Amino acid sequence: MKVLVVPTAERAATRAAGLVADCLNVGDRPVLGLATGSTMEPVYADLVARFRTGAISFSGATTFNLDEYVGLSPDHPQSYRRTMHRLLFDHVDIDVGACHLPQGDAPDPHVEAQRYDAAIAAAGGIDIQLLGIGRNGHIGFNEPTSSLGARTRIKTLTRSTRQANAAFFAKPEDVPRHAITMGIANILEARHCVLVATGAAKAGAVARMIEGPLGADCPATALQLHARATVIVDGHAAAGLELIDYYQEIHPDGEEPVLV
Ligand code: F6R
């Protein structure tokens, strides 16, 4: 796992956006795995800014978001589809027909989950997968005790996840109880995983993910099995890391090392 401890949340977003930009510029028909959540908002703002300068284009890109709430239609104001349009899709030259999210109001969510897996496979898999992390160690909506071998399916959200997401809804009871989410197996198949965590509230989950034992009680620990996982954290989110001096020695302020 490559651990980049950067000085600020802004730098974390810039660093993550830079990795996505590299993927867009190098790849022929890049496939991006996208996440939602507050941590990702500055990442998408940075990508939009890069697009406006002409540094990147999304014209050949395909995207797959990690998850969507069960029961919300694509045009529901709180759907992740609408969120992605507001933050990214509406501001760049992406082919909206190539932007995929699970359909939250599909007649049979289980069939929809299988369809989504097949669509990822048909696109040739994901080149770079953006990830946030929940305070309880979830990635996507793979809550604690999720099977580390599961693919896209329905998950019941924990009370803590619903509380964390309540701010986006008019009333706490409006937060859906279920989500269709890519599984840990999907995430581990992405060719590069980039997880971003900022703020003190994530320090415990970040320490457990990077330095704790592999276990379904913290699904993010599955990234320890990935051959190319990059974790970008600010100083607050890094506060619980025992080996922080080592990470800083290899990547001072999160920069790439100069090998001499
Ligand atoms: C949502 C998702 C979640 C979030 C996580 C962190 O698509 O994948 O795993 O990344 O809940 O959310 P924030 O960034 O709001 O703390």
Side-chain angles (χ1 to χ4, degrees):
M1 201 181 278
K2 183 189 269 193
V3 181
L4 307 179
V5 183
V6 299
T8 63
E10 292 74 24
R11 284 274 285 281
T14 306
R15 201 71 213 287
L19 294 173
V20 175
D22 290 347
C23 181
L24 287 168
N25 286 334
V26 172
D28 185 16
R29 298 192 67 77
V31 181
L32 311 179
L34 303 178
T36 48
S38 311
T39 314
M40 288 300 136
E41 297 198 10
V43 178
Y44 297 137
D46 188 301
L47 287 169
V48 170
R50 285 173 199 251
F51 167 73
R52 288 186 176 144
T53 68
I56 55 172
S57 167
F58 291 78
S59 62
T62 298
T63 67
F64 288 93
N65 267 75
L66 284 164
D67 39 31
E68 180 59 281
Y69 290 117
V70 170
L72 300 196
S73 67
D75 59 358
H76 187 286
Q78 270 72 45
S79 73
Y80 283 158
R81 160 72 70 178
R82 276 283 288 274
T83 301
M84 289 307 304
H85 276 271
R86 179 170 54 80
L87 297 175
L88 183 68
F89 301 157
D90 288 351
H91 310 290
V92 298
D93 62 342
I94 201 157
D95 171 7
V96 171
C99 297
H100 304 274
L101 286 92
Q103 188 186 326
D105 66 347
D108 184 335
H110 301 285
V111 172
E112 172 62 7
Q114 289 176 4
R115 184 200 66 77
Y116 202 65
D117 264 357
I120 295 169
I126 290 169
D127 292 313
I128 186 168
Q129 177 66 58
L130 284 175
L131 297 163
I133 184 170
R135 274 176 275 190
N136 62 6
H138 72 223
I139 50 177
F141 276 134
N142 295 282
E143 299 282 29
T145 71
S146 285
S147 161
L148 301 184
R151 298 183 169 280
T152 307
R153 72 221 182 285
I154 316 305
K155 285 298 294 182
T156 302
L157 305 182
T158 61
R159 193 183 300 257
S160 79
T161 297
R162 294 180 67 231
Q163 281 168 353
N165 292 358
F168 301 103
F169 290 81
K171 301 193 294 290
E173 53 272 29
D174 290 345
V175 183
R177 294 181 176 276
H178 302 95
I180 302 178
T181 181
M182 280 190 212
I184 298 293
N186 300 92
I187 292 169
L188 293 181
E189 282 169 6
R191 288 179 269 282
H192 185 188
C193 285
V194 176
L195 185 143
V196 186
T198 55
K202 301 294 174 67
V206 164
R208 173 77 172 82
M209 165 179 66
I210 297 172
E211 296 175 344
L214 176 68
D217 59 319
C218 179
T221 58
L223 291 178
Q224 294 174 15
L225 296 170
H226 198 288
R228 193 170 176 222
T230 302
V231 176
I232 305 173
V233 288
D234 69 355
H236 298 294
L241 293 169
E242 285 189 15
L243 299 178
I244 188 162
D245 291 347
Y246 178 57
Y247 311 133
Q248 286 285 23
E249 186 183 333
I250 306 169
H251 299 286
D253 283 342
E255 297 303 323
E256 289 305 318
V258 180
L259 299 176
V260 287

